[in-house]
Structures are given as structure tokens and as C-alpha cells.
Amino acid sequence: MRGSLSWWLMRPFRVAAGLWRRDPEYLAQLGLAKRPNAGAEASSTGGDRDDPAVPLVTGSSGERCAEWSVREFMASTYPDLTGLGVYVDPTPLRAGRLTLLLESLNSLDVLGTGATALLFAVALARHRGVALRLVTRQAPPDAPTCGSILSLQGWRGTLNTTFEYAPAREEARRLAIVPGETMLTTSWRTTMAALKVCAPDRILYLIQDDERLRCRTHDERLRCTEILCHPQLRFVVNSRGLFTTLQQAGMQGVAERGLVFEPAFPEPLYARQARRPLQRRRFILDAAPGDPLGLFPRGLEVLAAVLEQEILTASDWDIEIIGADLPNLRLPRGVQPRTLDPARWREHLKSIRQADLALVLSARHAPAYAALALAAAGAVVVTNATATNRGLPRQCARIQVVEPTIAALSAALAEGRLLVETPPERIAHQTAMRSESGWETAFAPVLDALDGS
């Protein structure tokens, strides 16, 4: 019966079922669509009607009122905007705690920004002598992945670490918060969620991408911009190029209270794997298929062009494409490329160490991890120009940054092939990566600055 206890208890399930069915009448009740034939009904009566997109019910005195409160509607319709459910733990930890708040952490993150977030959190917790808690919102945290990241980077020692899952649902289990807890957030959404339960001066936002480019709606972009301009938050930005981009875009919070580090590519991890005698050279295309900010179609066009022009030939080169669930492709001149799922990170790392020439394409305003990792391992890399990566050739002369036209990218790959074929002693002066030797060194200035803030 409507209004009974069982009716209220079953409401979340009715909401989920209605959204899954995409029932027009039900979506109209939630205010997400107009009722079918609403326009025809209005025109047939000839009079003004109430907006059919607003769900209304009749109150006890006969007046009409909204069915849901704003809080209820937001929680049911936009769960990813829901704040964290927390309670205060009256028994404080002896040394305090740092909570790393992530959307997710899985095998795709071992060689990317997820790994950087974990490494920074571990470094900060050790620096302050506090416990570390890792909390994810989209999927339960993968503890073995965390172990793989730390082991791969050669990080040793013990740290009091716990793992929790806090899905973006109002009825999710609440998290305990201890007095003086610090939140290390990794996206505008996790930062917004933390702000609803934590003072701004206890939040540190680690920025590794220009998230404004990933916003699906104007409302999301508004919220993202508000976070980046927040007058009390503290920010840590991965790469000077990304910091400059956000600063020039008027993100005042980042510009005034942002600290910067450059990503590190430790030599032991990216040591080049020697090629056997008579072994063919390896070309890699990494253009992020499936990513809205990837340039995979352009990458395929360029690869087809360099094969047609015999800049690369099947007799001398193995062709590899990075991406998951790719179809079997037949390239010009009968070339059959090998595909590699980046989630298989051990094979991916081996491929990076063996690459000779690479084309890396993306429209992201973020640290060029793929290009820098390949260059650190000794490959010649061609990549498209973005707002954040034009300074890459100053970090390593093996990286060429050009405009993303087929002609420009093809010409750069032709130059890159000549560089690959140059005897090593003639290009030894160009191979050094001008980046920090390790993550501890890269993080040190930021950790010291946070102590003084």
C-alpha cells in the first residue's frame, strides 16, 4: 500500500527497475522526461497545464506538493554526486590517518595515474608517520594490484594499510572518520564528496588530468570548475604542463595553492631489453581506443599511410597496437598487427622495454605517461601536440611533438625511423630522460612544502 513501511522500503528497487526499463511514464515521474502525449493533451484543452515533468501528488488538505525532496531526488538520480556517509570514531588512532579516496584501482592502473596516486599516498603517509586507508567508490579495491604497484617500483618496508569500499549510494555503509584525518582525493567527484563531510583544510586534491574535458554535461563542468577554483582546498598537480594549463584557464584555486611534481620513470623499471641479432624492430601504436579523448581512428589512418609509403615494412618491423577488445585488423600490404590489452601489465611493460618507434595519440591535458615511459626505455616517440605536452622534447630529444595531421605525423615517423637506424654512439647524447631518478625524489619538494603549509 502506498505510504506503508513496505512501500518505503521497496522504493530504491522500484527506482532502479524503472530507470533500467526506461519507461517514459516512470521517467516523467522522476522529472527526467516529458509524459507521452503531454503536448497533445495541453493543446486539446486549450488551457495552461502544470509542467508534466514535475512529479506531483495531492496532500492531505488537497493542495499539490512535490513527491520527493531535493535531497531524495539528487540521491536517487545522481548517485555519483552523493557525499560520503561517515561517522566520527571516538577512539583516535595514535598517530593519525591518511585516507586515499579513489574512483577505482585495478590492473589498468599499474603503469598509470592510479599507481602514481597510490605511490604519493604511501610517500605522504610515511613522511607523516600515519596509517593509510585506501577507499574506492566505483568498485571494491584490489589489494593485489596495490602490492604489484609497490613491488614493481621497488618500494619496501611496512605500512599500516587498510582497504574499504564506499559506493556512491546513500544507503552504503558509513566510513569511520578519526579526529585530524586527512583526505587525499583524486578527482573532482571524490573531492566534492569529501567536502561534504570534511573541512577543506583537511583535504588534498591530487590532480592528474584536466577533468573538465571529461565532463558529460554543463552541470558537471560547473561543479568541476568550482572545485578547481575552491579558495581553501590544497592541490598537488602531476606535471608543470598540466599546472600551467589550469592556471591559464583561470582555475584560481590551483593557481594560488597548487604544488607541482614531475612524473618519474626509474631506470630499473624501464631498462631497455636488448634485441636479439636479426630480430625485427618493434613499432607501437598507442592511441587509447575506447577513450573519448583518444585518437584511435587517426592513429589507424597514420599507420596505414606509413605502411602504404613503405616508411615501415613488414620485413623489418613488428607492428603492435595497444588496446582491449580490438578486432582482427588487416593493414595495407598484408600486415597483421599484434594487439595487446594494457590490463596485462607485465606484457605491456615488456613491450615498452622492447619498442624502437612509437606513435602515441591522445587529446588529454595530462602527463604524457605513455610517451615518457616509451622514451625512458629508449624508443623514439611521435605524439600529437596538446596544451600540456609541447615541452616534452626538452625532457627527451627522442620525443617529437607535431600537429595531429596525417601528413605531419607520417613525416615525423619517417624521421623517427632514421633516428632508430642511426648507430647508438651517434645519438647517445639524445637518449637521457631529463626527469627525476625515482618517485621519492620527485615527491620530496611537495612533501616538504605541505609540512610548511
Side-chain angles (χ1 to χ4, degrees), residues 132-165:
L132 175 64
R133 176 173 62 173
L134 192 152
V135 177
T136 56
R137 304 209 79 194
Q138 291 185 356
D142 184 1
T145 293
C146 298
S148 296
I149 291 171
L150 297 177
S151 175
L152 195 63
Q153 298 288 342
W155 285 35
R156 301 290 183 264
T158 59
L159 182 66
N160 181 9
T161 307
T162 56
F163 301 86
E164 295 193 48
Y165 177 42

Side-chain angles (χ1 to χ4, degrees), residues 284-302:
I284 288 180
L285 169 63
D286 189 343
D291 186 340
L293 296 180
L295 298 175
F296 187 64
R298 176 48 48 95
L300 286 180
E301 291 173 327
V302 174

